[in-house]
Structures are given as C-alpha cells and as structure tokens.
C-alpha cells in the first residue's frame, strides 16, 4: 500500500514474455514483494499470470488474469505489515479459501474478504479476478463487525458489489493518469461501496448513500449508456431521447452525465459510428463495398453528412482514409 504522501501509481506485471520454466518463480517473487512470504504452487504444468495494478493512499486495486494456482500463508510466514485486508472478487473461475477455521467457495461474480496477516489458504482455477488491498484502520470504523465479515461469501447480485465492479472498471481500467483529487475521491467511493457490501454501520451507510453510492450509480449509468451506443450505433434512429427512455432516466440527467465528462451523447455516438466505418474501410474483405454502403451500415443516412463527421473525427475524408490504410496497413484506427 502506498504511503499517505505517495501519488497514484499504475503497475503492470506479466509472465507472458518469460520462458515457461521461469514464470511461476517470477510470480512468486512478485507476490512476496507485494504481500510478504507465501507458499505458491501451480496446479498444472502450464502457468501464466498478468496483473494491472493501481496503487493509491489507502487502496490498491489489481485486475488479475491467472492460471490455476494454490497460495498459502503459514504462521511462520511474515506478512507485509502495510496490507491488512484483501477483498477478492472473482469474475471468472472458482476460488476456495480457508482462514480462521472458515471456508468459502466463490464462483463467478462472488467475493470474499480475507485478512492478510492470518494463516490463509486459497486454491483457484484459471480465473479472472480483482483484488482490493485495504487498511483495517480505514474499514473497521465503517463495518458493523469486521471480523465476522472475514471469509463470508458476498453474492454477485448484491447491489453494492455490482456497482463496485462497474465503478472500478470505469475508473481504474484505462491508461490515463488520475489526479490527486480524483484519486482521493475514488478511494472514498470504493471504501463506501465495500462497507455497504460487507455490512456498514448505520452512520457509515448514510455517508455511503450520500457519497459513494451516487457516484457508483452515475458510473454504472454511464457504462450502460456506452454499451447501448456500442450495441446500437448502426441504427440511424438511435438518438439521445430514445437512449434515455431505454435506460429509464431523464434526457436531462443523461445529457448532464456526459457533459460532466466533457462530451455530448451525440458526439460519442458519432465517434462510435465513425470508428466502425473506419474499420470497415480498412478491412480487405470490404474493399469492394462503396463508401456510401459502409456509411449506411454504420448508422449514417446521408453520405455528405457522413463525410463531414468522418473528417471531423479522423482529420481526412473517408476516401483518403481508405487509400492511406491500404497504402500503410499499420495506420492506427
């Protein structure tokens, strides 16, 4: 965990470029540096691991893709004193964990909280998961009974867990750096959602409902709006009013949500349509299709309007773009 005065950091780790015989040792060394001494064993001959980790004061978030593995901490093994707790959210696969005489089996979408200091055993299949590293001092005042929450399964359909996953995916998956103020707010929002998922005290629940919960619901709405645009951008009639109706919110709220991020709904919709058209213009299998045909298949209903919007987003006309891509296949689209 980063000290209080340390800035936001993003760290990537992958065994993919290493020889197969070196991968498990590299993973073990990385895990020891991050969390203290652990006994790590792969359950199959082949092992690969990758993580994209975000470190902030009071919180660490690691998006992980891993082959099957067993991880154990015995009483003789020292733990990293800065890491008190870890919330494990399993997106794909199955994880079985044992601690303090309790056992939990969590499958896709479920989660559990574990102590980073106590004896611990976990076996998981090939999995995709997110680990939230937390400080007990941050979480304990907000949880009705923190020790009772350890290794209790948290169902995937709990609203707080669903919103936590969506909020994390939106805020902590990109490459753009996060400002100190945004990082501080994000940490507070994540703490609020985790407290609600684990059983917040009455006071903490009221704070979360006024702070972290609204932020997560806005992030969830924004993510659903983007998914709707991606799924239906090829429909010419898709417009902000229809999107608001399908998302069951007011048009004003939806417009405000995009404006707070420095964009408009229509500009995001045009961008999706233009990017889809650009990919089709570059694809060898669509070389015999006319530009107008491609434009109409991507949600445009006027070729002149398509050319203007395309040029505004890509800086060149569709015909010139197609020629450039064919002349230079590595052009970024």
């Amino acid at each position: 965990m980063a000290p209080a005065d340390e800035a936001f950091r993003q760290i990537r780790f992958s065994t993919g470029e290493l020889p197969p015989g070196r991968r498990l040792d590299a993973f073990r060394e990385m895990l020891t540096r991050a969390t203290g001494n652990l006994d790590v064993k792969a359950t199959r001959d082949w092992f690969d691991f990758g993580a994209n980790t975000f470190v902030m004061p009071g919180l660490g978030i690691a998006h992980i893709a891993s082959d099957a593995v067993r991880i154990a901490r015995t009483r003789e093994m020292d733990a990293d004193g800065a890491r008190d707790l870890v919330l494990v959210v399993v997106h794909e696969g199955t994880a079985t964990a044992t601690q303090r005489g309790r056992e939990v089996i969590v499958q896709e979408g479920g989660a559990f909280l574990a102590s980073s200091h106590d004896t611990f055993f976990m076996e998981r299949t090939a999995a995709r998961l997110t680990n939230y590293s937390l400080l007990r001092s941050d979480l304990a005042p907000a949880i009705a009974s923190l020790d009772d929450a350890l290794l209790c399964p948290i169902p995937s359909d709990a609203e707080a867990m669903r919103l936590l996953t969506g909020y994390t995916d939106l805020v902590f998956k990109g490459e753009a750096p996060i400002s100190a103020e945004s990082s501080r707010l994000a940490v507070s929002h994540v703490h609020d959602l985790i407290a609600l998922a684990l059983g917040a005290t009455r006071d903490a629940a009221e704070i979360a409902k006024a702070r972290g919960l609204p932020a997560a619901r806005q992030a969830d709405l924004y993510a659903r709006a983007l998914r709707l645009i991606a799924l239906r951008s090829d429909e010419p009639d898709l417009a902000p009013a229809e999107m608001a109706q399908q998302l069951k919110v007011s048009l004003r709220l939806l417009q405000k949500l995009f404006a707070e991020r420095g964009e408009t709904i229509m500009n995001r919709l045009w961008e999706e349509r233009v990017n889809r058209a650009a990919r089709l213009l570059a694809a060898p299998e669509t070389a015999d299709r006319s530009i107008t045909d491609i434009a109409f298949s991507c949600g445009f209903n006027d070729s002149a309007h398509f050319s203007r919007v395309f040029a505004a987003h890509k800086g060149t006309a569709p015909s010139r773009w197609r020629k450039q891509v064919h002349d230079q296949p590595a052009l970024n689209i």
Side-chain angles (χ1 to χ4, degrees), residues 2-26:
D5 60 348
E6 188 167 350
F8 169 93
R9 291 184 295 136
Q10 182 176 4
I11 304 167
R12 291 185 178 275
F13 176 85
S14 174
T15 62
E17 299 299 321
L18 297 175
R22 178 77 183 94
R23 293 179 181 181
L24 185 61
D25 287 339

Side-chain angles (χ1 to χ4, degrees), residues 52-211:
N52 184 18
T53 303
F54 300 84
V55 182
M56 296 145 283
L59 178 67
I61 299 176
H63 299 291
I64 295 168
S66 171
D67 282 329
V69 68
R70 292 190 187 100
I71 299 174
R73 187 193 307 280
T74 66
R75 293 186 182 278
E76 293 74 25
M77 292 178 172
D78 294 329
D80 176 2
R83 295 175 180 261
D84 298 323
L85 302 164
V86 59
L87 178 72
V88 180
V89 182
V90 180
H91 306 297
E92 296 176 5
T94 301
T96 301
T98 305
Q99 189 173 66
R100 296 189 178 185
R102 304 171 187 171
E103 182 180 80
V104 64
I105 300 175
V106 172
Q107 295 179 321
E108 297 179 9
F112 66 88
L113 181 73
S115 166
S116 297
H117 294 298
D118 296 321
T119 300
F120 175 76
F121 173 82
M122 179 172 70
E123 181 171 355
R124 64 175 186 248
T125 64
R128 186 175 61 84
L129 58 153
T130 301
N131 284 356
Y132 298 81
S133 299
L134 305 152
L135 296 174
R136 176 179 284 268
S137 58
D138 289 334
L139 211 56
I143 306 297
S145 179
L146 187 56
D147 286 336
D148 289 344
L150 294 174
L151 254 67
C152 285
I154 306 171
S156 58
D157 58 358
E159 183 192 27
M161 284 305 307
R162 181 178 61 80
L163 291 174
L164 175 65
T165 297
Y167 183 83
T168 302
D169 284 348
L170 187 64
V171 178
F172 298 107
K173 274 283 178 79
E175 299 293 335
I178 298 177
S179 68
E181 178 61 16
S182 296
S183 174
R184 184 188 66 78
L185 287 173
V187 170
S188 296
H189 296 160
V190 169
H191 285 170
D192 287 344
L193 293 168
I194 290 176
L196 288 172
L198 295 174
T201 63
R202 183 175 179 177
D203 289 345
E206 290 300 318
I207 293 173
K209 288 174 183 178
R211 184 177 60 184

